[in-house]
Amino acid sequence: ASRGEVWVDETMLPRERFLEVIANAPLVSIDLIVRSRQGDVLMGWRRNEPARDHWFVPGGRICKGETVEDAFGRLCLEELGFAMTLEATRLVGVFTHLYDNNFAGVEGVSTHYVVIAYEVLVEPDLSTLPTSQHRNYKWVSPSGDLSGVHPNSIAYL
């Protein structure tokens, strides 16, 4: 995407228009709670707002016209680098994520997500995970050091 456009559904939406959407409506997204056999949760160090510079689970928006099943498959490819289907998951629940900021850094525009969280039991090689949304990855233990973990992701532990 260019600096003036944001990827939305199958097309590019002008940045200002997408910001209007964020200012006036919630976004719907999927969070991927990737859990190891030991119960740890995969988290990446976020590159982008909201939640930039925090440990956060992989995931992303559901695009207009996209089914939940298709969005799940796309997000697994984009965020984890491999395909999965909803049949291989457990629905954890629906969550509300509220942020005081937005992807563009525009003052006074908050972001509201309605998040569908799915748990998957896989243990990917951290060195092979995509880096477009996260700089780094680690396994986070529910009883371990939670410094830097975003409160919205702590809820999944």
Side-chain angles (χ1 to χ4, degrees):
S2 72
R3 291 188 59 77
E5 297 177 317
V6 177
W7 180 255
V8 177
D9 59 35
E10 297 297 317
T11 61
M12 300 304 286
L13 190 66
R15 176 183 161 105
E16 295 77 25
R17 195 149 184 216
F18 187 53
L19 195 57
E20 287 178 32
V21 171
I22 290 173
N24 293 289
L27 302 172
V28 181
S29 66
I30 293 174
D31 275 356
L32 304 170
I33 305 169
V34 179
R35 197 172 297 276
S36 72
R37 286 186 292 271
Q38 294 77 28
D40 298 338
V41 174
L42 176 69
M43 295 200 192
W45 191 254
R46 287 274 304 155
R47 289 183 176 275
N48 306 310
E49 294 291 5
R52 181 180 182 181
D53 294 334
H54 285 90
W55 292 105
F56 210 94
V57 296
R61 291 189 314 272
I62 298 174
C63 297
K64 183 169 176 62
E66 188 175 43
T67 66
V68 171
E69 294 81 5
D70 288 347
F72 179 84
R74 174 182 57 79
L75 289 167
C76 284
L77 281 172
E78 290 175 2
E79 297 278 312
L80 302 175
F82 54 86
M84 290 190 72
T85 63
L86 275 178
E87 290 77 27
T89 72
R90 180 180 72 84
L91 174 64
V92 174
V94 177
F95 297 80
T96 300
H97 291 185
L98 302 173
Y99 302 91
D100 292 334
N101 61 358
N102 58 78
F103 79 99
V106 173
E107 289 291 321
V109 178
S110 62
T111 306
H112 175 181
Y113 281 98
V114 175
V115 181
I116 307 167
Y118 291 98
E119 181 181 76
V120 296
L121 299 174
V122 294
E123 295 187 36
D125 178 352
L126 301 188
S127 68
T128 65
L129 293 171
T131 57
S132 61
Q133 297 294 322
H134 300 96
R135 286 188 226 292
N136 202 356
Y137 292 90
K138 72 175 184 175
W139 292 100
V140 175
S141 169
S143 60
D145 179 12
L146 301 182
S147 58
V149 176
H150 195 279
N152 289 334
S153 284
I154 286 176
Y156 301 141
L157 296 172

